[in-house]
């Protein structure tokens, strides 16, 4: 109802809620009022904001003091619905809202009631997503609470606790790479890791948790890498050994491929977090041989994770990966098929990472790569897939412009449209450097879509000096080529684009 009618319903609803929140009401009545407050949070957010400076302290008080578990539980949920508002309050006054909510939720994470534990842990994960780096000053008390919860929670709530750790790691990233914090967090995780058997599906959420922690702490995970790496490799090998046995004897129970998917994701997390420090572990294992099985697996989720791992290995362990490329590259190219999207997306990204590492050695595969990628660029597909495909085309064009430039007219318009909105990072920089190289090789290939090229250049705002010089040379070159017709041609551009190109590149 709140989503449909919005703020106007508050005129009727709020007096009813306030009446039912009074302490002299039965707990069931108070619980229903608090539930209603949470239910209207999304549909009536604007109308609720003026009341939250009084409602949030009330909810914190209820959470700290109410004796009824169901009331505490629903209050956790309702507070989480307003986490965005709590986090948006002035950071110079955290003691007013941020700290009381954080403390109350952490207290309830350690509640003796399992339902309250579950609600508090879920609410805290939501709070973490909103707070992000604002949590950094409170990392020690947060981790002390979560570590205590590891000794208290049982199977079901452990999954939610793992999720809270994942969300925290994703929120604060390298700020977690502190020796004291790592020594606080890792012992309970490793204790769980050692207590769970290799065939227990309880490994899945723990692997997901350790993956995020490894990516966040980076080098700080190195002391734990040997055991985690070896077990992941063993889990993959066990799966394929068991599967081969099942093919010989169909009466055997088929192994669960999720062990492979989670292990590959964990290995990707190690590669991403440790970077080059993973190299000796790869060198002294049969991982790359097993990866050859993974990339050919008929299950799309296995291939998806395998291709992501190859991309991470390309960035950190290319000397070892290079020897496998004759086997891997045809499979990666074969999977440049938008069904399923996630597999195609990771294959495209991995090819781009490989290309910038092996440079000219990518040439034998370039014709087939562009034959596969150009049709993808010209379809109305998943945005991430189109962006990754465009980046890889640009990266390949940077290395082999003579092979890609003759085909530019087949993809330049959707390429510019899709890459104009991505964030400015090294991948986008590579792609646009490639575009510039291709334009130099084949300027006629972009003439019909030159307005799109201008718009794509403008998406950088103020690029690095080298890239800006490339853009300027190309833009001024096209202006000179058009000659006396330039004012009329340029006048057709949107005013905001004309202003930017004139100011930054002197194109007016």
């Amino acid at each position: 109802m709140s989503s449909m009618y919005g703020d106007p319903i508050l005129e009727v609803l709020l007096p009813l809620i306030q009446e039912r929140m009074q302490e002299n009401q039965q707990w069931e009545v108070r619980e229903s009022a608090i539930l209603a407050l949470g239910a209207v949070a999304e549909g009536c957010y604007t109308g609720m904001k003026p009341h939250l400076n009084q409602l949030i302290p009330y909810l914190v008080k209820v959470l700290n003091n109410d004796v009824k578990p169901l009331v505490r539980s629903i209050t956790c949920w309702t507070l989480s619905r307003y986490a965005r508002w709590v986090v948006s309050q002035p950071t110079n006054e955290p003691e007013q809202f941020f700290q009381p909510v954080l403390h109350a939720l952490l207290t309830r994470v350690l509640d003796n009631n399992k339902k309250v534990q579950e609600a508090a842990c879920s609410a805290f994960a939501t709070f973490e997503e909103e707070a992000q780096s604002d949590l950094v000053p409170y990392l020690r008390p947060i981790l002390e609470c979560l570590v205590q919860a590891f000794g208290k929670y049982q199977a079901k709530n452990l999954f939610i606790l793992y999720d809270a750790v994942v969300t925290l790691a994703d929120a604060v990233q390298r700020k977690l790479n502190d020796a004291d914090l790592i020594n606080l967090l890792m012992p309970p995780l490793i204790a769980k890791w050692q207590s769970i058997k290799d065939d227990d599906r309880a490994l899945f959420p723990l692997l997901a948790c350790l993956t995020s922690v490894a990516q966040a702490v980076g080098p700080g995970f190195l002391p734990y890498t040997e055991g985690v790496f070896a077990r992941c490799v063993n889990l993959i090998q066990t799966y394929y050994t068991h599967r081969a046995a099942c093919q010989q004897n169909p009466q055997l129970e088929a192994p669960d491929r999720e062990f492979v998917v989670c292990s590959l994701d964990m290995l990707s997390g190690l590669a991403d977090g440790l970077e080059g420090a993973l190299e000796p572990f790869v060198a002294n294992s049969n991982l790359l041989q097993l990866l050859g099985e993974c990339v050919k697996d008929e299950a799309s989720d296995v291939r998806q994770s395998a291709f992501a791992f190859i991309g991470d290995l390309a960035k950190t362990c290319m000397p070892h990966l290079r020897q496998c490329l004759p086997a891997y590259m045809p499979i990666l190219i074969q999977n440049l098929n938008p069904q399923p999207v996630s597999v195609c997306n990771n294959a495209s990204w991995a090819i781009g990472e490989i290309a910038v590492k092996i440079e000219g050695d990518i040439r034998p595969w370039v014709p087939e790569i562009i034959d596969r990628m150009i049709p993808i660029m010209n379809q109305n597909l998943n945005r991430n897939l189109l962006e990754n495909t465009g980046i890889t085309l640009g990266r390949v064009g940077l290395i082999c412009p003579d092979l890609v430039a003759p085909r530019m007219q087949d993809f330049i318009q959707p390429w510019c449209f899709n890459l104009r909105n991505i964030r400015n990072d090294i991948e986008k920089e590579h792609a646009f450097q490639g575009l510039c190289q291709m334009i130099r090789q084949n300027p006629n290939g972009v003439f019909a879509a030159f307005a799109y090229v201008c718009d794509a250049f403008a998406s950088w705002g103020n690029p690095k000096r080298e890239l800006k010089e490339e853009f300027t040379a190309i833009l001024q070159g096209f202006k000179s080529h058009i000659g006396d017709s330039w004012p009329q041609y340029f006048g057709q551009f949107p005013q905001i684009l004309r202003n930017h190109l004139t100011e930054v590149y002197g194109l007016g």
Side-chain angles (χ1 to χ4, degrees):
M1 186 181 293
S2 66
S3 298
M4 181 176 294
Y5 295 106
D7 293 339
I9 70 169
L10 294 178
E11 185 177 348
V12 175
L13 187 61
L14 276 181
L16 297 173
I17 291 176
Q18 289 169 340
E19 178 186 346
R20 284 161 173 74
M21 288 193 313
Q22 301 301 315
E23 291 185 6
N24 60 355
Q25 295 282 3
Q26 293 290 325
W27 72 265
E28 296 93 341
V29 175
R30 287 186 287 109
E31 182 203 19
S32 68
I34 294 169
L35 170 63
L37 279 176
V40 301
E42 186 173 340
C44 303
Y45 182 72
T46 302
M48 286 298 299
K49 283 200 290 187
H51 306 281
L52 292 178
N53 60 348
Q54 293 180 323
L55 283 173
I56 296 299
Y58 166 80
L59 293 171
V60 168
K61 180 181 177 182
V62 170
L63 199 54
N64 286 331
N65 300 320
D66 204 288
V67 298
K68 293 296 183 180
L70 288 176
V71 175
R72 299 198 300 276
S73 176
I74 201 62
T75 304
C76 289
W77 177 75
T78 295
L79 270 173
S80 75
R81 301 278 285 173
Y82 294 103
R84 176 167 42 127
W85 183 88
V86 172
V87 169
S88 70
Q89 299 312 293
T91 54
N92 60 342
E93 299 178 355
E95 69 281 354
Q96 189 172 7
F97 299 109
F98 189 96
Q99 290 177 355
V101 170
L102 175 63
H103 180 267
L105 288 175
L106 290 177
T107 300
R108 288 303 138 220
V109 164
L110 298 175
D111 200 285
N112 290 325
N113 184 277
K114 292 180 183 178
K115 292 288 187 184
V116 179
Q117 291 173 3
E118 178 182 358
C121 216
S122 295
F124 180 61
T126 301
F127 187 76
E128 289 174 313
E129 288 177 352
E130 296 292 345
Q132 294 292 306
S133 60
D134 290 342
L135 295 169
V136 171
Y138 311 97
L139 278 174
R140 173 164 283 279
I142 289 171
L143 287 176
E144 287 173 345
C145 172
L146 298 180
V147 165
Q148 225 178 316
F150 274 111
K152 195 168 190 172
Y153 282 22
Q154 295 180 355
K156 181 183 176 183
N157 284 354
L158 264 178
F159 297 161
I160 303 168
L161 183 58
Y162 289 142
D163 185 58
V165 175
V166 167
T167 310
L168 180 67
D170 293 345
V172 302
Q173 290 295 310
R174 280 293 191 269
K175 295 296 183 181
L176 204 56
N177 186 25
D178 173 272
D180 291 339
L181 298 178
I182 293 171
N183 290 336
L184 193 59
L185 174 62
M186 289 306 298
L189 290 176
I190 294 300
K192 295 293 182 188
W193 174 255
Q194 293 172 341
S195 69
I196 299 173
K197 295 181 179 179
D198 283 357
D199 60 353
D200 191 338
R201 288 172 173 81
L203 268 178
F204 302 158
L206 177 55
L207 277 165
C209 180
L210 285 171
T211 299
S212 287
V213 171
Q215 289 173 314
V217 304
F221 201 85
L222 190 58
Y224 309 96
T225 300
E226 184 176 1
V228 172
F229 180 92
R231 190 174 187 183
C232 287
V233 172
N234 184 62
L235 287 168
I236 296 170
Q237 182 159 347
T238 299
Y239 171 82
Y240 284 107
T241 301
H242 191 171
R243 196 175 75 166
C246 289
Q247 290 170 349
Q248 296 295 321
N249 183 2
Q251 292 184 341
L252 293 175
E253 182 181 356
D256 189 341
R257 67 174 183 269
E258 194 67 19
F259 286 103
V260 177
V261 172
C262 291
S263 295
L264 288 169
D265 292 345
M266 179 74 244
L267 292 168
S268 283
L270 290 174
D272 185 40
L274 296 175
E275 298 178 350
L278 190 66
E279 187 271 337
F281 299 99
V282 175
N284 296 313
S285 73
N286 64 337
L287 174 60
L288 293 176
Q289 178 185 344
L290 291 171
L291 193 53
E293 293 294 321
C294 298
V295 297
K296 294 182 292 187
D297 201 293
E298 67 276 7
S300 61
D301 51 352
V302 173
R303 298 200 311 279
Q304 175 186 338
S305 293
F307 296 156
F309 184 38
I310 288 175
D312 284 317
L313 286 177
K315 293 193 291 184
T316 59
C317 301
M318 180 49 79
H320 301 290
L321 183 63
R322 183 186 288 266
Q323 61 187 330
C324 300
L325 291 182
Y328 290 177
M329 283 300 297
I331 298 171
L332 285 167
I333 294 169
Q334 182 183 348
N335 279 271
L336 293 176
N337 181 329
Q339 295 300 329
V341 166
S342 56
V343 175
C344 183
N345 195 38
N346 286 359
S348 176
W349 176 73
I351 289 170
E353 293 296 336
I354 291 168
V356 295
K357 287 294 185 179
I358 67 171
E359 298 182 331
D361 289 343
I362 196 74
R363 288 185 70 87
W365 295 295
V366 169
E368 192 173 357
I369 289 171
I370 59 178
D371 280 345
R372 293 267 189 165
M373 286 189 165
I374 288 174
I376 293 173
M377 288 302 302
N378 284 283
Q379 296 181 59
N380 183 20
L381 297 170
N382 174 273
R383 188 185 71 180
N384 286 338
L385 173 59
L386 293 172
E387 290 172 354
N388 266 328
T389 301
I391 288 170
T392 297
L393 269 173
R395 286 176 141 181
V396 173
L398 173 63
I399 296 155
C400 303
D402 58 311
L403 297 181
V404 186
R407 301 288 302 277
M408 265 201 305
Q409 67 273 12
D410 297 332
F411 66 83
I412 187 62
Q413 185 170 320
W415 191 98
C416 291
F417 179 79
N418 284 289
L419 266 65
R420 70 174 308 281
N421 293 319
I422 64 175
R423 67 182 185 276
N424 297 346
D425 60 10
I426 188 62
E427 293 183 1
K428 183 176 179 179
E429 187 175 331
H430 284 158
F432 274 77
Q433 287 171 343
L435 176 63
C436 293
Q437 290 296 320
M438 290 186 285
I439 291 174
R440 290 187 181 282
Q441 288 269 341
N442 179 22
N444 290 333
V446 299
F447 192 83
F450 183 63
Y452 287 88
V453 173
C454 292
D455 184 54
F457 285 175
S459 73
W460 277 90
N462 194 17
K464 292 180 181 178
R465 181 178 59 83
E466 296 84 356
L467 200 57
K468 184 176 179 180
E469 288 175 356
E470 288 273 11
F471 291 171
T472 302
I474 289 169
L475 294 171
Q476 291 293 344
F478 269 83
K479 178 181 178 182
S480 298
H481 179 74
I482 293 173
D484 294 341
S485 300
W486 174 256
Q488 180 182 357
Y489 178 80
F490 193 54
Q492 300 173 48
F493 286 23
Q495 181 68 49
I496 190 170
L497 178 58
R498 293 203 309 272
N499 291 346
H500 179 84
L501 295 174
T502 300
E503 179 183 343
V504 179
Y505 301 105
L507 204 59

